Structure formats: structure tokens, C-alpha cells
Amino acid sequence: MLETKNTVDTRRVLIYCIIAFLPAYLIALVIYLTGGLIDSPSLAAGLNLALLLLIVYMLTPALAHILTRIITREGWNNLYLRPKLKRGWLFWLLAWFGTPALMGIGMLVYFLLFPQNFDPELAVLREMLVSSGFDLDTLQIPLAMLLLIQTLQGVILAPILNAIPILGEEFGWRAYLQPKLMPLGPRKALVVTGIIWGLWHAPIIAMGYNYGNFDPNYWGAPWSGIAMMTLGTIWLGIFFGWLTLKADSVWPAVVGHAVLNGTAAISLYMTRGTPLLLLGPTPVGLVGGIGFIAFALLIFLIPGAFRVKDVVSASEEVIDLATEVD
């Protein structure tokens, strides 16, 4: 059920943000003090302390959602956890397959603008396979076909494999914070949610996450990375937030976010040289995100894009969010 209050509940928003940010920033401090993202101590094969703590980091928005409801005695209505497939199946599909399509548009535009960074030989993928002990001489298919298979697997399996940690984020941002900000109007609510989501990433971005993969001393680091990540979470947050509003469920956002996380690195396997990742080819780059930027502008400009049908008991009531103060 959509939030219909006329004013923002600033008390609950503030409590939520404190609980979401404080443990996340403390976790980031532990990562920094124990070797950062690069030199984190190994715990087991394929797992280090930083990776484990990042998974916990992702759960803090959901923790904030639950604790804010408990602290403020809000109750447990409007959790956005019902799948509502009958109503929202189109938005589930758009999340599942529209996300990689929008990513693909950004990646294509980036490599058209910066062809010197496109590597048809896939040297990054080749090096990664060799370093992991894979014998390329036994590979029966072209490397490009292997990448395509990996991409398809990411699209199909990521929403299943990544559901729990991604729900840790989306149950906070889209299922709690965004509805609390809806009195601002849907457009402002989605933008403000995206800004807060981006700033929540700031400590790990400062340690090189996303933008320091090829060059840890990229232009303007780390502040340019924090700023670009915040812009990226605005256009991604508009897409995921719109899906949540239209489906009246957080699950399409979970699906889309999971596909994004499961496939965003694919474009880096096609990259050579030292690209400025602030631009792309990933979707949190200014050029790599052009598909999501275009979609965000489209739904912001189309009249009625935020008009939502909400089922109340056995009848239907139309709530036109576009008429909110915006």
C-alpha cells in the first residue's frame, strides 16, 4: 500500500538513516583497518574478511527498516514484501530483462565513444581464468562464447543467488525510505532516496570500490568517485524506485538490483588499457549509465508515468502520484 501522508515523517527518516549509516560506516572502518578491499586477510578459499563484511554491510538498510519500526512503534503494515505477481508481472519482467538491456545500451555507447578501451581478445577474462588455475587449452568454445554464457547465467541466476543480500538493501531503500519520502512527490522522493543511497556507499567507494579497479589513483579520487556513485544511484534508484511503485512490491527492485550486481562486471572483461571508470563502461559511469539516465528522463517527462492502481479490498482505487506536490 502506498504512503499517502501529506508531510514527511522526518523523525522516522532521521532514525532510519542513522541506523542504516552508522553500522555500515563502522564495518567500512574495520575493512579499512584490516587491509582494505585489496589486502584483506583470507578466511577461506574465495572468501576474505572484506567480502564477508561487505555482505553484512549490504544488510544494514534492512536492519534499519526493522529497528526503526520497533523503536518508533510503527507497526508492520506496508512492508512491500507481497510479490503481487498478478498485478506486477510486467514490472518483474522489466526488472529482470530491462536491467541488462539498459546496461548493454550504456556499454555499447561507451565503447563506441572510446574504442581504444574495447578489447575483442578479452585479455582481462583470459588472465582471470589463468590465475584461477583454468587451462585455456581445454576450452572447447571461443572465449567470447564463454563470456556470453556467463552473462546469460548472471541474468538468469543472479536474482536467485543474490536475493538475500540484495533484499538487505532494497527492503531498506525502496520498501521504507522511499515511501517515507513520497509526500515530497514521487520524482523528488526517488531522487532524494538515490542521493542517500549513494552517500551510504561513500566509505567503500573511498577505498576504491567500483572506480579503482584499473587505477586506484583515478582522476579526483576518492571524491569524484563518491560524487559519481551518488549520481549513479540516483538514476539507478529512479529505475528501481519506479518499479517498486508500479508493482507495489519491492521484489522487482530486488530482481533488477540482483541482475545489475551479477552482471555489471561483464563489461570490464571487454576492457583494456586504463579507462576512467567514472565514465564507464559500468552503469555507474556517466556514459555507461546512459541507458538508465535515458529511462529516468523518459519516466520523469511522460505525464502519468507515476499513476498507480492500488487494490483496496475488492475494489480498485486510482491514486495519481503525479498530482502530489512535486
Side-chain angles (χ1 to χ4, degrees), residues 119-142:
D119 181 15
E121 302 299 322
L122 305 176
V124 172
L125 177 59
R126 187 182 301 274
E127 181 180 344
M128 186 192 72
L129 291 172
V130 171
S131 64
S132 63
F134 188 86
D135 185 1
L136 292 178
D137 293 333
T138 64
L139 189 63
Q140 301 297 316
I141 58 174

Side-chain angles (χ1 to χ4, degrees), residues 183-293:
L184 296 172
R187 292 166 178 82
K188 289 180 181 177
L190 268 59
V191 170
V192 173
T193 301
I195 292 171
I196 295 172
W197 184 26
L199 294 176
W200 174 81
H201 286 88
I204 58 174
I205 298 299
M207 285 186 275
Y209 189 77
N210 274 347
Y211 302 106
N213 291 339
F214 288 90
D215 179 11
N217 299 310
Y218 61 89
W219 178 86
W223 304 108
S224 59
I226 294 171
M228 183 54 64
M229 186 66 188
T230 304
L231 288 174
T233 51
I234 289 174
W235 58 67
L236 292 173
I238 290 171
F239 180 61
F240 297 146
W242 179 80
L243 291 172
T244 301
L245 288 174
K246 298 296 283 187
D248 197 26
S249 172
V250 74
W251 289 105
V254 171
V255 169
H257 193 165
V259 172
L260 180 87
N261 281 18
T263 59
I266 296 294
S267 60
L268 299 181
Y269 297 149
M270 307 178 190
T271 304
R272 66 182 172 190
T274 309
L276 183 60
L277 295 182
L278 296 171
L279 296 177
T282 68
V284 287
L286 189 59
V287 178
I290 200 165
F292 291 97
I293 295 171

Side-chain angles (χ1 to χ4, degrees), residues 297-320:
L297 291 174
L298 186 66
I299 62 172
F300 266 38
L301 294 174
I302 293 178
F306 291 93
R307 188 175 294 118
V308 179
K309 288 184 179 181
D310 187 28
V311 178
V312 180
S313 300
S315 62
E316 290 189 351
E317 176 186 359
V318 176
I319 300 176
D320 188 356

Side-chain angles (χ1 to χ4, degrees), residues 67-208:
L67 291 181
T68 302
R69 285 182 179 271
I70 293 173
I71 292 169
T72 64
R73 300 181 180 180
E74 182 176 347
W76 302 98
N77 294 324
N78 306 332
L79 293 176
Y80 286 82
L81 286 176
R82 291 179 58 192
K84 298 189 178 182
L85 280 169
K86 184 177 180 180
R87 164 184 170 161
W89 62 270
L90 178 61
F91 304 103
W92 282 69
L93 289 178
L94 184 58
W96 210 314
F97 300 104
T99 300
L102 294 175
M103 291 170 58
I105 290 171
M107 181 178 66
L108 177 62
V109 172
Y110 176 84
F111 285 128
L112 286 174
L113 291 176
F114 302 98
Q116 70 275 15
N117 290 139
F118 178 66
D119 181 15
E121 302 299 322
L122 305 176
V124 172
L125 177 59
R126 187 182 301 274
E127 181 180 344
M128 186 192 72
L129 291 172
V130 171
S131 64
S132 63
F134 188 86
D135 185 1
L136 292 178
D137 293 333
T138 64
L139 189 63
Q140 301 297 316
I141 58 174
L143 205 57
M145 181 61 68
L146 177 64
L147 182 61
L148 176 60
I149 293 171
Q150 183 176 346
T151 303
L152 293 175
Q153 286 179 336
V155 171
I156 295 169
L157 297 178
I160 300 170
L161 299 177
N162 295 342
I164 291 178
I166 295 299
L167 182 61
E169 286 199 53
E170 294 303 327
F171 188 54
W173 306 127
R174 250 59 66 179
Y176 192 80
L177 180 61
Q178 179 176 292
K180 287 290 178 287
L181 295 174
M182 285 304 293
L184 296 172
R187 292 166 178 82
K188 289 180 181 177
L190 268 59
V191 170
V192 173
T193 301
I195 292 171
I196 295 172
W197 184 26
L199 294 176
W200 174 81
H201 286 88
I204 58 174
I205 298 299
M207 285 186 275

Side-chain angles (χ1 to χ4, degrees), residues 55-69:
I55 294 173
V56 179
Y57 193 108
M58 293 175 67
L59 300 177
T60 56
L63 176 67
H65 181 163
I66 294 168
L67 291 181
T68 302
R69 285 182 179 271

Side-chain angles (χ1 to χ4, degrees), residues 6-56:
N6 294 322
T7 58
V8 173
D9 190 337
T10 53
R11 174 173 169 264
R12 286 192 170 101
V13 168
L14 182 61
I15 291 172
Y16 169 83
C17 288
I18 291 172
I19 300 174
F21 275 68
L22 186 57
Y25 277 39
L26 289 175
I27 289 169
L29 179 61
V30 173
I31 293 174
Y32 176 76
L33 294 176
T34 56
L37 299 175
I38 303 298
D39 298 319
S40 179
S42 178
L43 301 177
L47 179 67
N48 59 33
L49 180 62
L51 180 59
L52 178 63
L53 290 176
L54 284 175
I55 294 173
V56 179

